[in-house]
Amino acid sequence: MYEELRNELKKRKYRITAQREMILKIFLESKGRHLGVDEVYRELLNRNVRVSKATVYRAVELLVELGFLRKLNFGEGLYRYELIDRSTRESHQHVICQKCGKIVEINSEQVKKIVSDISEKTGYVIKWHDLKFYGLCPECQKEESKAPESGQRTEISEEG
Ligand SMILES: [Zn+2]
Ligand SMILES: [Zn+2]
């Protein structure tokens, strides 16, 4: 992966920086997660890599351009990024909890069928798709059922 990155950077006459490699490393190590620029930035600070958030943003966008990361919008007012499987380049679907923001990935066989169906009908080669489902995760459903249905709470909560 790093070798591929170095080659891509060289090909396009970009400098190979330790920061760019470190950012790719962060994504490799957090496989299956969908990181925003802030999270990548914090992760870099944890590893004692001092950079500005703008640098992180530019580096992440470059990795998108080079085909290493996919840019995602889950309607939170920020972009998230995930590693692209460079061997299969396969798309997957996301299920998002509207309460806690937890994201689960699924790889639906039915969606695969839909994609090949669309391809057949339109003659297009479908390279990727972006399909999201929003709702409540099991934990948040439990929380919801615990919370009082209506009316104000009379006791003063200790927390918060
Ligand atoms: Zn949730
Ligand atoms: Zn994903």
Side-chain angles (χ1 to χ4, degrees):
M1 199 76 161
Y2 300 113
E3 201 49 50
E4 274 181 74
L5 177 62
R6 276 176 219 137
N7 290 339
E8 286 292 325
L9 289 170
K10 244 191 252 168
K11 226 168 39 189
R12 301 185 199 213
K13 306 223 176 346
Y14 283 113
R15 264 197 316 134
I16 299 154
T17 64
Q19 287 155 10
R20 283 169 183 162
E21 284 198 9
M22 183 57 89
I23 289 170
L24 184 62
K25 189 172 192 248
I26 287 168
F27 278 98
L28 281 167
E29 286 172 3
S30 63
K31 213 170 175 203
R33 281 187 62 210
H34 305 78
L35 304 172
V37 167
D38 278 3
E39 283 163 294
V40 178
Y41 174 71
R42 272 201 300 274
E43 197 56 50
L44 284 167
L45 287 185
N46 286 344
R47 295 167 192 225
N48 290 315
V49 182
R50 306 246 151 224
V51 282
S52 71
K53 230 179 252 188
T55 304
V56 177
Y57 180 77
R58 280 196 301 269
V60 163
E61 284 291 320
L62 180 64
L63 290 172
V64 172
E65 199 189 308
L66 298 178
F68 288 88
L69 297 180
R70 186 180 287 127
K71 191 176 187 174
L72 299 159
N73 184 353
F74 294 113
E76 310 158 283
L78 62 99
Y79 287 111
R80 291 185 179 277
Y81 303 84
E82 71 178 357
L83 212 57
I84 291 177
D85 187 333
R86 306 237 324 157
S87 55
T88 65
R89 299 204 157 269
E90 205 164 52
S91 296
H92 51 258
Q93 300 83 47
H94 294 105
V95 188
I96 303 112
C97 178
Q98 286 180 294
K99 206 169 172 193
C100 70
K102 193 168 83 191
I103 301 162
V104 171
E105 291 185 343
I106 50 165
N107 212 332
S108 160
E109 286 301 318
Q110 269 119 314
V111 173
K112 264 187 210 161
K113 275 189 206 127
I114 292 170
V115 170
S116 68
D117 198 39
I118 289 169
S119 185
E120 221 167 90
K121 276 184 186 146
T122 61
Y124 275 55
V125 175
I126 308 294
K127 295 204 168 170
W128 67 286
H129 64 261
D130 186 9
L131 196 53
K132 295 165 199 147
F133 301 90
Y134 293 90
L136 276 182
C137 73
E139 286 76 39
C140 288
Q141 284 173 52
K142 266 183 238 155
E143 287 287 311
E144 285 263 297
S145 61
K146 258 194 285 176
E149 290 278 306
S150 62
Q152 283 141 337
R153 269 201 229 183
T154 42
E155 81 267 358
I156 294 155
S157 171
E158 291 280 319
E159 6 166 21

